[in-house]
């Protein structure tokens, strides 16, 4: 998850504004109305991430469940996440590329998905919309024969997430395989029963206590995102505890 955006509305305003507290989501009775999303039959599952960590934040528990069920996993990192701290004096962009790649591998291992194939497209961070067709073309052969393709929600109010989601949806359609979208920033800028959210297309994936523990351990691998790189605002954590709380629930959500 990279907060640096193109600084145009609605992206910067929605993401930089104070978000919805997790307690409001915890109290939401709408969870009971969401259908349960069944895991697909055994086979190849492709998960597209705009930035290294999106796949674990949005679908980490599901990745653990899929790995346990014997699915073959491919994680596609569209960008390398080098834009998460654009003014850092501690880690330069090329150093962040290396760090975030290592964090992703560690996180997948902690999920029990250490055998997952990781494909990096090296699209510029905060520039996925300018490379959307390139991403779609790269994804099509990866999606061929998959039992499921998942990508960021195409209305997540982050330009990289939305473009990666559109490219994933188009590639899945061309490959003729099932597709689902997972939200990441939604829980920050939306609110329970928010009419901007397609709740009629939402489905829930329930996580056992053991899977939750594995996901929590995996999220903790992203030290460059959840802890300050150093003193000063340019080194601040991208994912403070109040933001992480949205992603450590006993369930995950996809839109069908």
């Amino acid at each position: 998850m990279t907060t640096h955006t193109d600084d145009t509305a609605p992206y910067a305003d929605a993401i930089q504004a104070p978000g919805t507290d997790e307690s409001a989501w915890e109290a939401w009775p709408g969870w009971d109305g969401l259908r349960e999303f069944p895991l697909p039959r055994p086979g190849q599952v492709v998960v597209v991430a705009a930035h290294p960590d999106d796949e674990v934040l949005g679908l980490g528990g599901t990745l653990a469940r899929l790995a346990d069920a014997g699915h073959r996993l491919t994680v596609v990192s569209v960008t390398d996440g080098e834009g998460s701290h654009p003014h850092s004096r501690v880690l330069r962009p090329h150093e962040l590329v290396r760090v975030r790649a290592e964090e992703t591998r560690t996180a997948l291992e902690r999920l029990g998905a250490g055998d997952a194939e990781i494909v990096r497209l090296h699209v510029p961070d905060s520039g996925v919309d300018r490379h959307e067709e390139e991403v779609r073309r790269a994804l099509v052969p990866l999606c061929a024969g998959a039992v499921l393709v998942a990508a960021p929600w195409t209305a997540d109010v982050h330009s990289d997430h939305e473009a990666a989601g559109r490219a994933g949806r188009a590639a899945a359609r061309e490959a003729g395989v099932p597709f689902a979208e997972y939200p990441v920033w939604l829980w920050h800028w939306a609110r329970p029963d928010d009419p901007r959210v397609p709740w009629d297309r939402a489905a829930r994936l329930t996580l056992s206590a053991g899977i939750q523990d594995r996901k929590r351990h995996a999220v903790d691998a992203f030290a460059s995102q959840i802890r300050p790189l150093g003193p000063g605002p340019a080194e601040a954590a991208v994912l403070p505890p109040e933001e992480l709380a949205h992603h450590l629930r006993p369930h995950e959500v996809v839109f069908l």
Side-chain angles (χ1 to χ4, degrees):
M1 178 191 288
T2 295
T3 57
H4 181 63
T5 71
D6 58 4
D7 294 326
T8 60
Y11 303 120
D13 289 346
I15 291 175
Q16 300 302 331
T20 300
D21 192 85
E22 178 60 14
S23 62
W25 289 109
E26 289 177 351
W28 184 44
W31 297 119
D32 294 335
L34 300 185
R35 53 189 154 167
E36 187 73 17
F37 182 74
L39 294 186
R41 59 181 171 81
Q44 182 77 22
V45 175
V46 178
V47 178
V48 180
H51 313 101
D53 74 0
D54 290 335
E55 73 288 341
V56 174
L57 294 169
L59 280 186
T62 300
L63 284 168
R65 290 181 58 191
L66 290 165
D68 287 354
H71 291 75
R72 301 185 310 279
L73 302 176
T74 298
V75 173
V76 183
S77 290
V78 176
T79 79
D80 292 319
E82 73 277 8
S84 67
H85 293 79
H87 305 296
S88 174
R89 296 186 178 183
V90 176
L91 286 177
R92 290 171 291 180
H94 75 275
E95 293 172 317
L96 270 168
V97 169
R98 175 184 53 79
V99 167
R100 297 195 71 175
E102 293 172 352
E103 290 173 345
T104 299
R105 174 52 70 188
T106 299
L108 290 172
E109 290 172 351
R110 291 180 179 184
L111 289 173
D115 291 336
E117 177 188 18
I118 300 177
V119 177
R120 304 190 184 282
L121 301 185
H122 305 298
V123 171
D125 197 349
S126 300
V128 181
D129 56 339
R130 298 190 297 273
H131 297 266
E132 189 173 325
E133 176 58 19
E134 172 188 335
V135 174
R136 183 199 65 78
R137 289 196 304 267
L139 290 176
V140 170
L142 298 174
C143 295
V147 295
L148 178 67
V149 174
W153 182 35
T154 55
D156 207 32
V157 189
H158 187 300
S159 60
D160 279 355
H161 291 205
E162 295 183 357
R166 290 190 300 266
R169 181 176 59 194
R173 182 184 299 120
E174 184 169 340
V177 299
F179 177 70
E181 302 170 85
Y182 63 92
V184 177
W185 278 111
L186 177 156
W187 314 113
H188 174 85
W189 57 259
R191 60 185 185 275
D193 291 321
D194 199 311
R196 296 170 292 179
V197 179
W199 300 114
D200 59 321
R201 295 198 291 117
R204 180 177 61 183
L205 297 115
T206 300
L207 310 179
S208 68
I211 294 291
Q212 284 180 261
D213 287 342
R214 282 155 64 180
K215 180 176 182 179
R216 189 175 296 108
H217 191 39
V219 169
D220 197 50
F222 294 105
S224 72
Q225 305 300 294
I226 67 176
R227 299 182 186 90
L229 299 181
E235 319 298 342
V238 174
L239 294 165
E242 60 270 21
E243 195 64 44
L244 287 177
H246 299 316
H247 304 288
L248 300 176
R249 303 169 179 153
H251 46 256
E252 294 169 341
V253 171
V254 294
F255 297 120
L256 308 177

